[in-house]
Each structure stands twice: as C-alpha cells, then as structure tokens.
Amino acid sequence: MNAFAQEPSAPATPEDRLQWKGFCEIESDPVRRPIYGLIFLFKWRDEDADKLEASCPEGIWFANQTVNNACASVALLNIVNNIPDIDLGDHLQQFKLFTADFTPALRGDAIGNFEFVKSVHNSFARKMDMLNADLQLKNDASSRRKSKAKNADEDNAGFHFIAFVPVQDRVWKLDGLQRQPQDL
C-alpha cells in the first residue's frame, strides 16, 4: 500500500506544508526587478575568520543560519532587511522590529521559529524535498552517534547560498554560516 496520497515528486499539498516542521531545499524563481542584492550558490567551505568583522556593524541587519536548509531564506532576509524604505509587509516588518536588537545568532534562531517565513519557504517544496530533508536529519544523527569526529571531506561538501548587498555605500557579504558580515 502506498503511504503517500500522491507521488513524492508532486508538489507538496497545503496540508503537507502545515504538518511538516522543517525547512526544505528549494529551487529559484525567475529574476524580478528591482534588484537590491545578489544571492550566489557556493560550495561550502570555512572562511578565514580574520576577514570577518569583529562585530556586526551599526545599521546592518544580519542573521546567522542556525537551522538546516534555510540558507536561501536567510540570504533573502539578510538582503531585504537592509533595504531602506522597502514595504516588507506586516509579518516581515514586525519581525524586523522584533529582532532589531538581537545578535545575528538570535536572529537566526528567530528565523527558525518564524512560521510565516517557514511557510513561504516550504511553499516551493515538493513532497520529495521533505522526505529527503527528513532522511538527511536521520542520517546526520546516525553518523554523529557513530563518530564524534566528523571529517570535512571536500567531495561531500554541501552547497550554500550567500547574499551580497550594498549597505551604507559599501558591498557586504552576508553569509549566514559566518559569525558576522564581511565588508568587501
């Protein structure tokens, strides 16, 4: 008997999205205008900590990525929350105000608990994306139990979205996996 009401490659239903609590990997939509920043997909690697800002600069909204598979949404939030005079809508405007005095890590945690963003993020998901994310979590937990030390294998490195945005007449690299933004 098939455990799914639909094929795993079919779009996730609204009920699937409401019941599932994680973030899914999503594919991008076509480019729309105006462009306020850029998001690039990179093979993940550790950056040189000396290149990072010592603290989050005044006037820059920056969140760390603290939940799996949310790097696209974190990158997008790191851009839109730095655009002066943009209409964010009620949900995002309230979120920006609520997190204004948070550290980047606390902002990342707040994103992970922000149902509005999670719902929009997962609206692009297929049932297969949800199943893959759940399987990845299971595999990660299993391998952590087997080995405390995890080798960083270049072939198994994941991919990661990073935002680049102009703020205060400078270009900033806003990488949610780094502690702070980087002034380029």
Side-chain angles (χ1 to χ4, degrees):
M1 177 178 196
N2 187 353
F4 304 107
Q6 60 189 17
E7 290 296 315
S9 61
T13 66
E15 183 179 322
D16 290 334
R17 291 185 193 112
L18 283 174
Q19 290 178 356
W20 199 69
K21 299 300 179 194
F23 277 88
C24 289
E25 289 187 58
I26 56 175
E27 302 208 11
S28 61
D29 263 351
V31 174
R32 293 189 166 82
R33 304 267 191 260
I35 297 172
Y36 296 107
L38 300 173
I39 299 174
F40 293 105
L41 181 64
F42 292 94
K43 194 167 198 171
W44 185 86
R45 60 185 170 83
D46 276 328
E47 293 286 333
D48 182 359
D50 294 334
K51 292 182 182 178
L52 301 177
E53 297 298 312
S55 62
C56 197
E58 182 74 27
I60 294 181
W61 193 98
F62 174 70
N64 293 130
Q65 179 186 337
T66 61
V67 295
N68 289 336
N69 295 324
C71 60
S73 290
V74 170
L76 188 55
L77 287 168
N78 278 335
I79 289 175
V80 299
N81 283 310
N82 284 293
I83 302 168
D85 305 320
I86 190 171
D87 180 8
L88 292 172
D90 291 338
H91 294 289
L92 292 178
Q93 186 62 42
Q94 289 173 11
F95 181 78
K96 182 178 178 180
L97 291 172
F98 175 69
T99 60
D101 294 327
F102 286 16
T103 65
L106 286 176
R107 286 179 181 151
D109 290 343
I111 291 169
N113 292 310
F114 190 18
E115 290 300 323
F116 176 75
V117 167
K118 195 180 295 184
S119 166
V120 171
H121 179 102
N122 288 335
S123 71
F124 296 94
R126 299 169 296 171
K127 184 70 175 179
M128 182 62 75
D129 298 326
M130 293 175 185
L131 294 170
N132 282 336
D134 286 341
L135 180 61
Q136 183 64 43
L137 284 173
K138 179 182 175 186
N139 290 342
D140 287 350
S142 176
S143 61
R144 282 189 189 117
R145 272 186 252 126
K146 290 178 184 174
S147 170
K148 297 269 183 182
K150 192 173 186 179
N151 294 335
D153 183 6
E154 182 70 21
D155 292 335
N156 292 329
F159 289 88
H160 176 64
F161 292 101
I162 299 173
F164 294 82
V165 63
V167 179
Q168 302 170 347
D169 298 321
R170 313 220 29 143
V171 175
W172 292 87
K173 177 181 176 184
L174 305 179
D175 181 348
L177 292 180
Q178 298 299 320
R179 292 179 308 143
Q180 300 295 337
Q182 181 182 354
D183 182 354
L184 301 176

